[in-house]
Amino acid sequence: MNIVKYKAQSLELQKKLINHATRNGKKSKSEKAIMKSFKAAQKSQRKNHGKIIKLSVLNAIPIFKIIKLTDKKRRKKSTKEIPTFVSNYTSRVSLGLKYLIKTTRSLSSSKQANFSEKFKNELLSGTSSENNASVMKTNFQTKACQEKKYFRFYRW
């Protein structure tokens, strides 16, 4: 029973990841690139790619997210950055996947030209919590703690 549940969870993660990686409605391209990176990661680590994905996503899952609110009533349009607690687990996982893809796209190196190579390296570095997505997560968490005076606006 646990094996069936494990496979269903890893397939759900793959589907979410493919949906977040899709650009301009070309789902087949993102699916090919992600599957290529999964296979390359599995060959280099000799572990199931489902476990590799789960570890890297687990290290990238945030607790807080920051919402920017603009005050439109005044002449000076000021923005407030309000930290909010992400209570739903599925939305946490979705944010973690978005962080992984965002950091993968922001990497720019001449050796790693294609998305699948960058994503493979991001996944493999994510298992040891040294990837750019976990750094991005910690930056958001420290920023949320600095803006804790705005927690009173959050509806608990």
Side-chain angles (χ1 to χ4, degrees):
M1 189 81 175
N2 289 336
I3 296 171
V4 174
K5 197 181 257 188
Y6 175 75
K7 287 183 179 180
Q9 287 176 348
S10 64
L11 285 175
E12 185 179 326
L13 276 177
Q14 287 177 10
K15 287 179 184 178
K16 281 185 182 181
L17 189 60
I18 289 168
N19 286 338
H20 287 307
T22 302
R23 274 192 170 176
N24 299 328
K26 303 207 176 184
K27 193 172 181 177
S28 61
K29 283 188 175 184
S30 63
E31 190 173 27
K32 285 179 186 177
I34 288 175
M35 289 301 167
K36 189 176 180 181
S37 63
F38 286 164
K39 288 178 184 178
Q42 190 170 354
K43 283 181 182 178
S44 66
Q45 286 289 318
R46 295 185 181 167
K47 288 183 181 178
N48 188 2
H49 67 276
K51 290 183 180 180
I52 295 171
I53 295 167
K54 283 187 179 182
L55 278 174
S56 59
V57 169
L58 188 68
N59 288 331
I61 288 178
I63 298 172
F64 297 105
K65 76 175 186 179
I66 297 174
I67 296 174
K68 294 181 180 179
L69 292 177
T70 57
D71 192 12
K72 298 176 184 176
K73 293 180 181 177
R74 300 180 185 174
R75 286 187 179 180
K76 294 181 181 178
K77 293 187 178 180
S78 62
T79 59
K80 290 182 184 176
E81 293 182 342
I82 299 175
T84 59
F85 180 72
V86 183
S87 59
N88 192 358
Y89 183 74
T90 55
S91 57
R92 277 189 192 178
V93 170
S94 183
L95 275 173
L97 291 173
K98 285 179 184 178
Y99 287 169
L100 278 173
I101 291 173
K102 191 175 187 180
T103 55
T104 303
R105 286 189 177 142
S106 67
L107 290 175
S108 60
S109 63
S110 59
K111 294 179 184 177
Q112 302 170 355
N114 55 0
F115 178 79
S116 60
E117 279 291 318
K118 291 184 206 175
F119 190 67
K120 179 194 82 155
N121 290 337
E122 191 71 23
L123 281 177
L124 294 178
S125 65
T127 56
S128 62
S129 72
E130 296 174 357
N131 62 347
N132 295 331
S134 60
V135 170
M136 185 178 174
K137 177 189 87 165
T138 55
N139 288 341
F140 276 123
Q141 304 305 332
T142 55
K143 193 172 184 181
C145 289
Q146 290 171 353
E147 299 291 329
K148 65 183 177 184
K149 62 183 177 183
Y150 292 116
F151 272 131
R152 61 190 164 114
F153 295 115
Y154 181 68
R155 295 180 185 170
W156 296 92

